[in-house]
Amino acid sequence: AGDGDCGHTHARAARAIQEWVRARPPPAAPAQLLSALADLLLEKMGGSSGVLYGLFLTAAARPLLNRNDLPTWADAMDAGIEAMQRYGGAAPGDRTMLDSLCAAAQALHALRSPGTDLLPVLAAAVQSAEAAAEATRHMEAGAGRASYISSAQLLQPDPGAVAVAAVLRAVLEGLRS
């Protein structure tokens, strides 16, 4: 879909993050970690995905400056999505990474309930993101590079939506181990 560079840009981002983590310990404070990741992705990832992830992470870091409890992580997700929508111009249903992010965010709203356990909520968010990514297979592209391609040629799920679901799955697996 699009110009076919989604896998390459995500692989470039993964390599940059691996090198960064090997070179120095990442910041322990969540806001600083997200801000540092935003800078890294803006510099190393490239493409519109790098810009969108940078916008997302920069905005998501703001709520985490003074608090990092579970409800604030839900707020951070919402802030990141809002920034992506404002600056990127896409919305859920446009067959983009926002489809997966918004589905995950809906599940993460459960973090705002007192006594919520993170891992089951995050597992539900990952499942929602994966289902939303698969659902993009049948959507008309309303934004992004895929919107320049005939719908008849869009036979796979949106690669950005699939990538977001994969990143969320990796976070879940990392927290579980």
Side-chain angles (χ1 to χ4, degrees):
D3 63 4
D5 73 341
C6 187
H8 295 292
T9 58
H10 281 83
R12 192 168 37 250
R15 284 190 298 275
I17 291 169
Q18 287 174 328
E19 290 171 15
W20 177 62
V21 169
R22 277 194 295 266
R24 72 189 66 76
Q32 285 74 24
L33 174 63
L34 296 184
S35 293
L37 280 171
D39 292 343
L40 181 71
L41 295 180
L42 283 166
E43 179 185 343
K44 303 284 186 181
M45 186 175 193
S48 57
S49 294
V51 173
L52 290 170
Y53 280 115
L55 287 168
F56 176 87
L57 292 167
T58 299
R62 286 188 199 109
L64 295 165
L65 282 170
N66 298 316
R67 295 178 34 218
N68 68 356
D69 57 2
L70 293 181
T72 305
W73 280 97
D75 296 343
M77 185 76 157
D78 289 345
I81 288 170
E82 193 274 324
M84 272 185 147
Q85 288 180 296
R86 184 178 46 223
Y87 296 110
D94 280 341
R95 194 180 199 275
T96 69
M97 67 172 68
L98 275 170
D99 292 297
S100 290
L101 280 170
C102 290
Q106 284 297 96
L108 290 176
H109 288 171
L111 294 175
R112 294 185 175 118
S113 299
T116 301
D117 188 15
L118 172 63
L119 291 181
V121 172
L122 187 53
V126 169
Q127 289 176 341
S128 294
E130 290 170 344
E134 180 56 34
T136 64
R137 177 187 306 268
H138 308 291
M139 290 180 182
E140 178 108 9
R145 293 179 181 165
S147 66
Y148 303 119
I149 296 176
S150 163
S151 294
Q153 294 178 343
L154 296 175
L155 305 175
Q156 300 297 318
D158 179 72
V162 171
V164 163
V167 168
L168 292 172
R169 167 115 0 236
V171 168
L172 174 62
E173 290 173 5
L175 289 173
R176 282 181 172 161
S177 60

